[in-house]
Amino acid sequence: MALAVEARRSGVWDHDLVSARAQVSAALRAMHGFSVDEPVSYKQWLLALDKTDRRRLLSYNEELFRGGTEFNFEYRWCHPATGERWLVATGRMVRDAEGRPGCLIGVNRDI
């Protein structure tokens, strides 16, 4: 039962860095207050992030893009219906054969 409760508070996503396309689960959409038919992009998500956390994330991403593979980042999100909440994004940078960033895959959880 605890696993089912935990799963309900998690959403999965992947972001193709080459095409700039993102795929997000219905649970992730609900967690962030995005409608079912609303396109979700990294840029859109970043702009909606708390300003302080946005600056931290941009700095964090510089290191990740330089050579990191795994990430774990806590952030505040202002959900349109439920207000501020804390979330954590955990995932991996997938690189091509030459080591260039190809995509990010992850799970966001409401903490």
Side-chain angles (χ1 to χ4, degrees):
M1 182 66 153
L3 180 60
V5 170
E6 186 65 28
R8 190 179 66 178
R9 295 178 43 198
S10 300
V12 297
W13 55 271
D14 71 70
H15 178 226
D16 184 317
L17 298 168
V18 177
S19 70
R21 290 191 178 147
Q23 294 183 2
V24 299
S25 69
L28 187 122
R29 286 177 178 282
M31 184 183 308
H32 289 82
F34 297 126
S35 68
V36 175
D37 57 349
E38 180 178 6
V40 178
S41 70
Y42 176 73
K43 184 177 181 179
Q44 172 194 23
W45 178 85
L46 187 62
L47 290 173
L49 199 59
D50 175 84
K51 288 180 183 181
T52 302
D53 293 338
R54 185 182 320 136
R55 284 190 295 272
R56 281 190 317 109
L57 180 64
L58 292 172
S59 176
Y60 186 89
N61 279 350
E62 284 180 23
E63 192 149 328
L64 178 65
F65 277 76
R66 271 197 297 266
T69 54
E70 296 190 9
F71 62 88
N72 186 16
F73 186 81
E74 292 182 10
Y75 62 96
R76 287 166 287 186
W77 186 266
C78 187
H79 190 281
T82 59
E84 185 178 274
R85 54 201 318 176
W86 278 92
L87 304 168
V88 61
T90 306
R92 174 167 296 190
M93 168 75 75
V94 178
R95 298 178 179 276
D96 67 15
E98 287 79 38
R100 292 181 300 243
C103 72
L104 291 165
I105 55 173
V107 174
N108 289 18
R109 288 184 309 116
D110 188 336
I111 54 174

